[in-house]
Amino acid sequence: MRRYHDLTRLDPGAHGPGVLTTNYGQARAALQEVAGRTKEPAPRTLLDRLTRNLDIALADMRIGLAPAGSAELDAARREYRALVHRDRFNGICLPNMLAWGRWNGPDGQSPYDDARIRQDVVDTYASPAAGFGDPGFLVLERAGDPVPLDLEAQDVDFAGHTVHWTATAPDGVVLEPSSGTLKVRGTRGATARVAGRATADAAAGSHPVTLEFRLADGTRLVPSRVETDIR
């Protein structure tokens, strides 16, 4: 743990992402080494949370290191978004305007709406469960190969839930399957893989896919959107 603290004490404002990435990567390895020797649940939970936090920090720095306009940058932003969403209910991070801007970039793929971002955070934290799509942005070629989309559900109040999901696509976009059921409990989320494709006659441009979630008793949860760019 002393090595972890020594490696992560650098002031981010005084060091570039290259140095920080090296240090944080070594700090993560140090945590994994300790975790392999730890049997008690409380220390293991602490080590897990510290490791998850480093994973988000490293993904953030990969955004800063990736060349502008590159596939590497797009992948880094997708990874960062997925990690922030997956860890938002276990004390690691809180989605906010800064995180939104980080995973979308200066030319965000979704309209920037401060009020909407704040309201989404409030609504999801007040819900018993939540869901989202990973990635949040798909590029579909007309009559092209299917593109994978993961539907992920999470337990917000840690009571355990069965979450039913439905994906509604715009005309010309086919999702298979378009509905399903996920069971979540505590920090254990669940994922369903969906294949999305655009038909030959799909209209080019940006069109959202709407993801709706509800509990077994019919309680509706906060919906989510996946932006699509049909080419």
Side-chain angles (χ1 to χ4, degrees):
M1 290 302 296
R2 181 181 296 111
R3 178 163 171 74
Y4 160 79
H5 287 295
D6 288 342
L7 288 165
T8 57
R9 67 172 55 184
L10 294 180
D11 180 2
H15 297 83
V19 173
L20 292 171
T21 294
T22 298
N23 274 41
Y24 280 34
Q26 294 175 358
R28 190 187 190 285
L31 291 177
Q32 291 297 96
E33 181 182 350
V34 175
R37 303 195 305 265
T38 304
K39 304 300 182 183
E40 295 298 320
R44 288 186 65 85
T45 297
L46 173 62
L47 292 168
D48 172 76
R49 297 303 187 268
L50 291 173
T51 302
R52 289 170 183 259
N53 185 63
L54 283 177
D55 286 340
I56 292 176
L58 286 166
D60 191 346
M61 286 183 276
R62 278 191 282 274
I63 294 174
L65 290 169
S70 66
E72 181 183 353
L73 177 57
D74 290 340
R77 285 175 174 158
R78 287 194 300 268
E79 178 190 21
Y80 175 77
R81 176 185 180 274
L83 289 173
V84 169
H85 277 73
R86 287 172 188 156
D87 287 324
R88 57 185 169 167
F89 300 122
N90 57 16
I92 304 300
C93 61
L94 177 68
N96 55 30
M97 294 171 288
L98 294 176
W100 184 97
R102 198 65 174 148
W103 73 61
N104 277 287
D107 302 318
Q109 296 151 339
S110 302
Y112 182 88
D113 189 331
D114 185 348
R116 192 198 73 193
I117 295 169
R118 292 173 181 270
Q119 192 62 54
D120 282 351
V121 172
V122 170
D123 291 343
T124 52
Y125 273 78
S127 299
F132 67 98
D134 177 33
F137 181 77
L138 295 177
V139 176
L140 303 177
E141 301 286 345
R142 284 178 286 189
D145 294 333
V147 175
L149 171 67
D150 286 334
L151 274 293
E152 301 194 28
Q154 299 163 288
D155 185 1
V156 180
D157 64 10
F158 279 43
H161 298 284
T162 297
V163 178
H164 301 288
W165 62 267
T166 302
T168 303
D171 291 341
V173 175
V174 179
L175 300 175
E176 297 176 336
S178 59
S179 63
T181 299
L182 297 169
K183 292 187 177 181
V184 297
R185 178 173 292 278
T187 58
R188 296 180 182 178
T191 303
R193 173 59 59 88
V194 173
R197 61 181 177 85
T199 61
D201 59 351
S206 299
H207 308 279
V209 169
T210 301
L211 308 177
E212 295 183 334
F213 305 91
R214 61 181 175 83
L215 301 184
D217 63 3
T219 300
R220 292 187 177 277
L221 305 175
V222 178
S224 182
R225 283 162 57 109
V226 172
E227 302 296 330
T228 65
D229 181 12
I230 301 175
R231 300 175 180 177

